[in-house]
Amino acid sequence: GLTYVLPKNILSKFIVIADLRTQIAGYLYGVTPPDNDQVREIRCIVLVPQVGNHQSVTLPKKLPEHDLLKDLEPLGWIHTQPNEIIQQGVQILPATDVITHSGIVADHPQEWKGQDEIVITTSFTQGSCSLTAYNVTDTGLDWGKKNRNIAGGVANAEGYSSSCFEKVQMLLSDRFKGFFLVPHGGLDWNYNFQGVKHSVGMDYTLKMDTPERFYAE
């Protein structure tokens, strides 16, 4: 399988700006090095306007657009969570993530092929932080599509299992630096304190900048 390399500088910033309970998320973009097609180097985290709770995060349907992304490929998304989800002693990818992921693939088949895009979970555990990277399998993509609009939400979805995802290898590196894209104008990326202004259908533009903290004044 592929190995994903995440620059330490953008990971540490992503963790610093986060809240410990409310999930935050960003899109990942990067490159395939010319000398190794088994590696994907993440170069950018894009913070789009978002609202979250302790179980999920809601992003606009529109994918990021910016000149700096034109030479980069979409590599999935990263999000925080208050704790790891453990079943039968094994850490699993939350079912809500598979529904979110498969929804992006379904809405944007030209950009997201459902192959190289991963989900990185950043779990806050007793004063530290654990990272795990997952690939959503074809089984998972199918399951997510079927259960995307299930009445009563993901709690009522049946048939979720470990065949829906697989762990992928991820390395942290300080060999190269990454950068952030954040919304230009408006309420920046964090709409949690003015949720009525956020909608799935909203438009936004981006700029390269250091993201504000969750509780920025």
Side-chain angles (χ1 to χ4, degrees):
L2 299 175
T3 298
Y4 292 79
V5 185
L6 181 60
K8 286 181 184 168
N9 74 309
I10 51 175
L11 172 67
S12 55
K13 187 67 187 174
F14 184 73
I15 292 166
V16 165
I17 64 168
D19 180 57
L20 291 176
R21 283 203 48 76
T22 302
Q23 291 196 11
I24 76 166
Y27 286 110
L28 304 170
Y29 287 81
V31 297
T32 304
D35 58 347
N36 191 344
D37 63 1
Q38 292 304 297
V39 169
R40 299 290 181 273
E41 294 181 352
I42 295 162
R43 294 296 169 91
C44 175
I45 297 179
V46 184
L47 288 167
V48 299
Q50 57 188 270
V51 289
N53 56 35
H54 66 287
Q55 286 179 314
S56 67
V57 62
T58 301
L59 308 173
K61 192 168 176 179
K62 177 188 167 178
L63 284 180
E65 292 172 9
H66 194 277
D67 282 349
L68 288 169
L69 298 177
K70 284 186 176 153
D71 296 327
L72 304 179
E73 51 194 299
L75 294 177
W77 57 297
I78 181 172
H79 76 85
T80 58
Q81 54 187 18
N83 45 287
E84 294 174 349
I85 312 298
I86 307 286
Q87 274 187 357
Q88 281 130 17
V90 179
Q91 188 184 348
I92 65 161
L93 181 65
T96 39
D97 288 13
V98 171
I99 289 177
T100 299
H101 193 92
S102 61
I104 301 168
V105 173
D107 290 342
H108 304 282
Q110 293 302 312
E111 291 91 349
W112 280 46
K113 306 292 187 225
Q115 300 292 323
D116 292 358
E117 301 89 4
I118 58 169
V119 189
I120 301 176
T121 61
T122 310
S123 313
F124 294 114
T125 43
Q126 292 100 30
S128 71
C129 182
S130 67
L131 291 175
T132 314
Y134 300 91
N135 193 309
V136 178
T137 60
D138 290 344
T139 304
L141 292 173
D142 289 345
W143 182 89
K145 276 184 195 134
K146 280 197 194 87
N147 291 286
R148 187 175 186 182
N149 299 309
I150 195 163
V154 68
N156 292 340
E158 293 176 354
Y160 188 65
S161 74
S162 59
S163 64
C164 291
F165 58 87
E166 56 195 15
K167 289 189 180 178
V168 296
Q169 188 171 11
M170 181 180 57
L171 305 172
L172 298 180
S173 174
D174 40 26
R175 202 168 46 77
F176 57 90
K177 295 254 189 286
F179 64 94
F180 282 92
L181 293 177
V182 299
H184 191 59
L187 291 173
D188 207 11
W189 62 271
N190 181 9
Y191 278 68
N192 285 292
F193 304 115
Q194 298 189 45
V196 294
K197 293 187 176 172
H198 187 276
S199 77
V200 174
M202 73 189 288
D203 198 9
Y204 60 90
T205 55
L206 296 165
K207 62 178 179 177
M208 184 170 148
D209 204 352
T210 305
E212 294 267 15
R213 286 174 180 248
F214 190 93
Y215 292 105
E217 289 305 317

